[in-house]
Amino acid sequence: MAKLNINVRSFSYKNGGIPTDPTGNGGGFVFDCRGILNPGRIQEYKTQTGRDEGVKNYLETETKIQDFLNGVFQVIDISIEDYLNRGFENLEINFGCTGGQHRSVYSADATAKHIAEKFPDAQVTVQHVVQEAKNWINEAY
């Protein structure tokens, strides 16, 4: 049986929009993080990303990011279980925010970690579309 490849991406709604599905399946999940308070509006976080400790702490203590992600996990887990059982090969999970820098990066990393821990039979790839284009992201989730 083929392995399920799950591509988790962060992107910017303002700069490029929802990424194209490279698998040819036509999409997958798209979650809008703009309902979460934006750390990018705070001066000290403007040049940081969702991988920086200050931004992560802000999101975890000052916003409802965990409630948001718990809902995401409930939704995606259903499909991942089904896709694994049916032998599907690809699933796209995308997180967008205004600039693709803070909330979506944090959410994509947290989701990739969740999937890797809960579904070891799946292969998870993380891509931060905007951040990689700027060469700001280079470490693993």
Side-chain angles (χ1 to χ4, degrees):
M1 175 166 28
K3 193 161 192 119
L4 175 60
N5 297 298
I6 302 174
N7 190 21
V8 182
R9 294 182 288 192
S10 68
F11 70 93
S12 165
Y13 279 102
K14 281 176 57 177
N15 184 12
I18 301 169
T20 303
D21 176 359
T23 69
N25 291 331
F29 291 104
V30 178
F31 296 100
D32 189 340
C33 301
R34 292 176 292 183
I36 304 298
L37 292 174
N38 186 358
R41 298 199 179 272
I42 298 170
Q43 187 60 39
E44 69 181 288
Y45 303 136
K46 284 188 182 288
T47 61
Q48 296 182 14
T49 75
R51 286 189 168 171
D52 287 295
E53 287 306 315
V55 172
K56 290 180 356 184
N57 183 60
Y58 176 86
L59 288 169
E60 292 167 0
T61 61
E62 303 298 322
T63 76
K64 295 188 176 189
I65 194 78
Q66 198 54 59
D67 292 339
F68 172 77
L69 288 173
N70 287 340
V72 167
F73 298 163
Q74 284 185 312
V75 171
I76 66 172
D77 286 0
I78 293 167
S79 289
I80 293 170
E81 288 170 7
D82 185 66
Y83 280 29
L84 286 167
N85 288 334
R86 294 170 64 195
F88 285 17
E89 295 182 15
N90 296 292
L91 177 61
E92 300 291 312
I93 303 173
N94 299 284
F95 291 91
C97 63
T98 306
Q101 182 174 331
H102 300 96
R103 299 163 290 180
S104 62
V105 168
Y106 179 92
S107 296
D109 282 350
T111 300
K113 182 178 180 193
H114 166 81
I115 294 167
E117 290 172 356
K118 186 163 184 177
F119 301 100
D121 291 340
Q123 174 66 42
V124 183
T125 303
V126 178
Q127 180 185 12
H128 298 293
V129 175
V130 172
Q131 300 311 303
E132 289 173 9
K134 293 179 178 182
N135 289 320
W136 281 10
I137 296 276
N138 58 13
E139 70 231 31
Y141 59 93

